[in-house]
Amino acid sequence: MADDFDTGDMFQDPEGYYPPEKEPSFAEHKMLSGKVVRVRLVGSHPLYGNMLWNAGRISSEYIETHAPTLIAGKDVLEIGAAAGVPSIVSAIMGARTTVMTDYPDPDLVDNMRQNAEASASMIPTDPPSSLHVTGYKWGSDVEPLKAYIPEDTRAKGFDVLIMADVVYSHREHGNLVKTMQETLKRDQDAVALVIFTPYEPWLLPQTERFFPLAEQGGFTVTKVFEKLTEKVLFEDDPGDERLRRTVFGYELRWKDDQL
């Protein structure tokens, strides 16, 4: 009879069949002010939440250096935040609102939330600076993101977008531009920071196609820095080592005819 059929351990994987998941690790970013932002990294994650990227570090330095005019009192959105250091630094430097986002994967979002909570003691309360965490898929509805902005300017959007090491995802360029169009305030001072390293130098021409696409979408593109880091992030990778050590920084703003 069917009730007597016993599969035993037929469908049970033997112990050690799957490799154990890597434990989370931690990394530190020392701000120019001397403050230290310590973040938790997802142990091993296909969406790269397991690293503190050079572009994230350099973005944070750029934000800190220009904070009085770029960040203080502003509403900031980070797209593809991973560990979220630029968002945390923005909040520490007095952004009115900071929204830290990455792909809506539970592990990534939970990790960002833990990092935001761990940094809470460094975030000013007078005037208040609020740091929020949420999942967001590029190109999808932006109203949930704008809902974090105080009501008096919510409809206008964000003053600053942080986009560190996101343009390497070539097939997502269109969605990134769409998200920029729908979230960046239409103001001459509003800016999207696009900062990246060509970890795969032979793909740099494809990565740079993002910028003409952004221009077609109504933005001006201005290169603001090119910084050579001390060492490559992935030592065993092929390709031009100097390029793999270089962080490129761009500011994208609305064209005059879009304001």
Side-chain angles (χ1 to χ4, degrees):
M1 295 177 62
D3 289 344
D4 296 329
F5 184 70
D6 183 3
T7 61
D9 293 332
M10 183 186 300
F11 298 110
Q12 183 173 338
D13 294 318
E15 185 176 349
Y17 182 79
Y18 294 106
E21 292 187 8
K22 291 184 179 180
E23 291 296 317
S25 58
F26 293 84
E28 292 184 347
H29 171 74
K30 186 174 182 179
M31 295 177 60
L32 303 175
S33 65
K35 294 179 180 178
V36 176
V37 176
R38 188 170 189 263
V39 292
R40 179 182 183 269
L41 306 173
V42 181
S44 178
H45 200 281
L47 296 174
Y48 309 112
N50 61 327
M51 301 198 70
L52 186 52
W53 299 81
N54 285 337
R57 291 187 184 276
I58 302 303
S59 297
S60 300
E61 291 179 3
Y62 189 81
I63 287 165
E64 186 177 359
T65 301
H66 297 87
T69 55
L70 178 67
I71 294 295
K74 303 293 182 65
D75 298 313
V76 179
L77 169 66
E78 183 172 9
I79 299 168
V85 171
S87 287
I88 293 169
V89 170
S90 295
I92 291 171
M93 298 308 298
R96 180 174 73 159
T97 309
T98 306
V99 183
M100 181 195 304
T101 75
D102 209 321
Y103 190 81
D105 172 271
D107 290 339
L108 280 179
V109 175
D110 178 65
N111 194 68
M112 290 191 298
R113 186 167 288 115
Q114 290 190 50
N115 289 338
E117 292 171 353
S119 67
S121 63
M122 293 188 287
I123 298 174
T125 56
D126 186 21
S129 177
S130 61
L131 175 58
H132 307 277
V133 174
T134 190
Y136 176 70
K137 184 179 179 181
W138 304 340
S140 60
D141 182 17
V142 302
E143 291 308 311
L145 303 179
K146 294 167 71 173
Y148 290 107
I149 301 173
E151 192 172 358
D152 61 331
T153 58
R154 182 175 300 160
K156 295 181 179 180
F158 291 90
D159 300 289
V160 180
L161 305 184
I162 304 170
M163 303 166 62
D165 269 342
V166 296
V167 291
Y168 72 87
S169 185
H170 307 137
R171 65 181 182 182
E172 291 293 327
H173 284 177
N175 284 329
L176 286 169
V177 172
K178 180 175 184 285
T179 298
M180 291 167 57
Q181 291 171 325
E182 296 179 355
T183 57
L184 188 65
K185 182 184 294 184
R186 292 198 179 239
D187 183 277
Q188 62 181 0
D189 294 324
V191 61
L193 304 177
V194 178
I195 298 173
F196 71 98
T197 293
Y199 299 107
E200 299 174 306
W202 59 92
L203 295 178
L204 182 57
Q206 289 177 254
T207 302
E208 291 178 328
R209 289 176 190 166
F210 169 80
F211 297 108
L213 189 65
E215 289 176 331
Q216 293 173 22
F219 298 95
T220 63
V221 176
T222 304
K223 186 176 181 180
V224 290
F225 69 79
E226 182 175 319
K227 183 167 182 176
L228 191 66
T229 59
E230 291 185 5
K231 58 183 180 179
V232 296
L233 194 60
F234 305 101
E235 293 184 359
D236 296 330
D237 276 5
D240 186 304
E241 181 180 322
R242 185 177 179 87
L243 274 177
R244 291 188 291 124
R245 290 170 53 201
T246 302
V247 181
F248 297 94
Y250 292 80
E251 288 189 352
L252 278 64
R253 301 178 186 271
W254 287 111
K255 292 180 179 178
D256 290 341
D257 62 6
Q258 299 293 318
L259 298 173

